[in-house]
Amino acid sequence: MRSEGCALPALLGGLVGLPVLVVAVLNWPIVVAVLLTVLLVAGIVAVTLGALVLTWLYARSVHAVLFAGGHPEEPSPGPGEDPAHRSYHGGPAWSDLRAVIGGTWRVSAPWTLLLAPHLALYAGAVAVHQCAAWVCVGALRAADTALLVVRRVRMVCPHCFRRLGYPAYACECGRCHTAIRPGRRGIWRRVCLCAARMPTLLLFGTADLHTVCPYCTHTLEHRPGEAPELVLPLFGGAGAGKTRLVNGLYRALEQGAEPVPDAYADTVGEGARQWLGEARTVLRPSTRTVPTLPGHPVRGLTVRVGAGGSTLLLQLYDAAGERFTRASTVGELGYLGQATTFLLVVDPLGIDAVWRPLGPAERGKLAPVRSRTRDPELAYTQVLEEVERRVGAAVRRARLGVVVTRGDLLRDTSIAPEGPGQDALVYWAEHTLGLGNLLRSARAHFGRVRVFHTCAVSRPNGEVDPSVSHLLRWVLEGRPPAFGALVEAPELLDGAV
Amino acid sequence: MSAPQHRAQRRGLGALVLAGSVVFTAALLTALLFQGWQALAALWDWAVATNRGALPEHL
């Protein structure tokens, strides 16, 4: 019975299976097709599911990093770096990409390699973003630089005398940004670590920020970069009249701007206010000028001049005459390497060749105002050597104004110049003042040389003597005509020496 | 210090990347299904044709 029970299913199986086998053998291509179809469909389903799962994992990682705040922390600025947050193109974009790849790898390990097209798409998007951002950065910096060049803006620190590629700016929190221009920390504006927003270019208003020198960190109150700067060093022996002439130049500008609408000549900074604020008093004939002490730190006295819609920053340098007697002290005057116009101030009374021919009455009258400097060539030589050391052959492009002072005292004396014309002044300087060698050397070294005879005292009505205006007009040559129009049109511009 | 979140850039880039991934996956799967369908069709064409030739003539 037990063997019959086992044999029956086998018999039935044989009865059914045999025909099926026969049919299968006879239709073997169909059987093969069915098997391959099953395999193919299973493969397609598996690949589809795998792709969907991998894409889901990748999308989850992208969401976590880019939407849910799971992005890496921004590294703090390192030493020497500006205290500002990085822009998205300045690092976070790539660190986000690394975070997405890392997040996906953690959950799908080697299968992440199958996501290469997705990651390539992400990397391509970041690369395009980077390219666009850095092209913007380059274009903005180029436009800003081009504007500075076209407007002939050169920035010089009046404290350390170094030329500034670009000023530094201090945030309200006190942090100093030395490289504020567009870059990895901002295109249009940057965010200080204190969260304050700052523009990145003069074009966008950095001049409104607290400007400091990137080298000496002194505050620069004259808004450097907004307008061309004219560095004007005055040099000469002690007591030659440099301080009085500086005041005269400022007063001439101030006086010229008074009747012109929208024109102005304002001192910038506390130093200039102290030095030039009393120009009216200093220029009175009765006032004795307080000598500039040799130990007094030399600072540029900045005057902001505006006329005809243009602005000029005039930096006047008035160092003590004692500084020009030794190469070591002249070498400290770095501004000599930044200037293209120089004024050599000469006291004619100090020169023995001038003093000796004077009569006793004239000597008695002029003795109290005679300076101790006997040879103006000493200061000239020291300065020329220093300028040549700093700028080399470029000194040929510089101008030198030889300014003979004491015009008010020499008037009506036996040594007064015979006429106001340049030829007469040159003849007077060479033959009466004994400056022939100096002028010959100046002509050989400087591009242009001119002799002036000034009278830096105010007239009874308070006006500056026209001789100072003439000098100023020459100083302002090459600048917008509106500046020259501020000072009286000279009759003396009849050719250089 | 409160670092800027760059929300706009991150969201914009994220949306672009996700949309790109979805489109890429959809295109990939569509291509896969199409190719699979083509393969199946070719397979069955071959099977039917081969099967017809393989059967005895009286069947």
Side-chain angles (χ1 to χ4, degrees):
Chain A
M1 273 307 282
R2 194 177 296 163
S3 63
E4 282 177 6
C6 291
L8 188 61
L11 183 63
L12 287 173
L15 288 175
V16 175
L18 190 62
V20 169
L21 189 63
V22 171
V23 169
V25 169
L26 288 175
N27 297 286
W28 65 269
I30 300 297
V31 173
V32 169
V34 168
L35 289 174
L36 286 178
T37 300
V38 170
L39 282 174
L40 195 61
V41 169
I44 289 172
V45 169
V47 168
T48 304
L49 283 175
L52 288 174
V53 168
L54 277 177
T55 305
W56 167 250
L57 292 173
Y58 168 70
R60 205 177 62 166
S61 183
V62 168
H63 182 269
V65 172
L66 297 181
F67 290 89
H71 51 80
E73 284 294 317
E74 179 192 326
S76 297
E81 290 188 314
D82 267 14
H85 291 293
R86 288 187 181 184
S87 276
Y88 195 58
H89 68 273
W94 291 116
S95 57
D96 283 0
L97 175 59
R98 281 195 296 273
V100 166
I101 294 173
T104 313
W105 183 268
R106 270 193 296 279
V107 293
S108 56
W111 297 106
T112 305
L113 296 175
L114 297 175
L115 288 168
H118 298 260
L119 297 172
L121 178 70
Y122 188 161
V126 172
V128 169
H129 175 261
Q130 295 279 302
C131 284
W134 286 104
V135 164
C136 269
V137 166
L140 285 173
R141 290 178 77 131
D144 190 69
T145 304
L147 267 180
L148 291 179
V149 170
V150 167
R151 293 165 60 198
R152 296 202 295 171
V153 173
R154 290 171 73 241
M155 294 169 267
V156 176
C157 173
H159 301 279
C160 68
F161 319 132
R162 294 180 72 169
R163 186 175 177 185
L164 314 180
Y166 219 75
Y169 297 93
C171 180
E172 289 172 358
C173 68
R175 293 185 175 95
C176 187
H177 297 249
T178 53
I180 202 166
R181 284 195 290 178
R184 67 190 336 206
R185 300 190 185 278
I187 300 177
W188 315 100
R189 57 182 62 188
R190 61 165 51 191
V191 181
C192 179
L193 292 182
C194 72
R197 288 176 175 272
M198 305 168 79
T200 55
L201 282 176
L202 288 160
L203 279 173
F204 305 142
T206 53
D208 294 335
L209 301 172
H210 180 191
T211 314
V212 294
C213 172
Y215 301 111
C216 67
T217 68
H218 266 93
T219 297
L220 304 176
E221 295 177 68
H222 61 285
R223 300 166 70 91
E226 270 197 336
E229 295 180 13
L230 174 56
V231 175
L232 185 63
L234 287 86
F235 65 98
K242 298 183 293 299
T243 302
R244 191 175 269 269
L245 186 59
V246 162
N247 278 273
L249 292 171
Y250 166 63
R251 181 71 193 113
L253 277 171
E254 194 183 41
Q255 180 184 295
E258 277 165 6
V260 182
D262 302 329
Y264 56 87
D266 298 329
T267 54
V268 180
E270 193 55 37
R273 271 190 286 278
Q274 283 179 356
W275 210 257
L276 304 173
E278 301 298 323
R280 286 170 193 262
T281 310
V282 169
L283 293 176
R284 281 184 195 143
S286 58
T287 305
R288 289 294 302 274
T289 311
V290 179
T292 307
L293 299 174
H296 189 274
V298 185
R299 297 284 179 263
L301 307 172
T302 308
V303 179
R304 182 187 298 279
V305 189
S310 301
T311 307
L312 177 70
L313 293 163
L314 182 61
Q315 284 190 18
L316 299 157
Y317 288 88
D318 173 23
E322 290 82 352
R323 284 182 177 267
F324 298 107
T325 55
R326 287 199 307 274
S328 59
T329 46
V330 175
E332 296 168 359
L333 307 177
Y335 59 82
L336 292 173
Q338 309 294 347
T340 53
T341 302
F342 299 85
L343 295 183
L344 166 62
V345 184
V346 177
D347 170 24
L349 301 177
I351 303 170
D352 283 333
V354 176
W355 186 253
R356 262 186 256 113
L358 291 175
E362 286 177 325
R363 284 190 189 184
K365 178 185 162 193
L366 298 174
V369 293
R370 190 186 183 207
S371 69
R372 300 185 308 276
T373 306
R374 300 290 173 261
D375 185 8
E377 206 162 337
L378 178 62
Y380 165 77
T381 308
Q382 296 288 357
V383 169
L384 175 61
E385 285 176 3
E386 182 61 25
V387 173
E388 283 189 318
R389 189 180 70 80
R390 288 180 179 273
V391 303
V395 70
R396 286 295 303 167
R397 293 196 292 271
R399 301 185 297 168
L400 174 69
V402 179
V403 185
V404 183
T405 57
R406 312 282 198 238
D408 53 321
L409 301 175
L410 293 191
R411 201 174 290 147
D412 304 327
T413 66
S414 56
I415 56 168
E418 291 182 359
Q422 182 62 199
D423 292 340
L425 280 176
V426 170
Y427 184 86
W428 174 65
E430 287 180 347
H431 295 92
T432 306
L433 305 184
L435 300 179
N437 285 339
L438 188 151
L439 288 176
R440 274 189 289 278
S441 166
R443 283 186 214 116
H445 291 93
F446 287 86
R448 289 174 63 195
V449 182
R450 192 170 179 81
V451 179
F452 296 90
H453 184 39
T454 61
C455 174
V457 293
S458 54
R459 289 173 163 183
N461 60 2
E463 287 184 357
V464 178
D465 192 87
S467 60
V468 178
S469 300
H470 291 150
L471 170 62
L472 193 54
R473 173 102 181 180
W474 179 78
V475 166
L476 294 174
E477 264 184 30
R479 304 288 163 178
F483 295 123
L486 289 181
V487 287
E488 186 187 356
E491 300 83 19
L492 299 180
L493 292 178
D494 52 0
V497 176
Chain B
M1 74 181 184
S2 57
Q5 298 299 307
H6 307 297
R7 279 199 187 87
Q9 288 103 320
R10 283 196 164 107
R11 282 169 189 249
L13 185 65
L16 184 72
V17 165
L18 287 181
S21 284
V22 168
V23 168
F24 176 76
T25 304
L28 184 74
L29 293 181
T30 304
L32 182 71
L33 290 175
F34 180 73
Q35 292 295 327
W37 177 258
Q38 295 278 78
L40 280 176
L43 175 66
W44 279 99
D45 284 348
W46 167 81
V48 168
T50 309
N51 191 50
R52 193 173 292 141
L55 285 174
E57 285 187 8
H58 63 275
L59 289 177

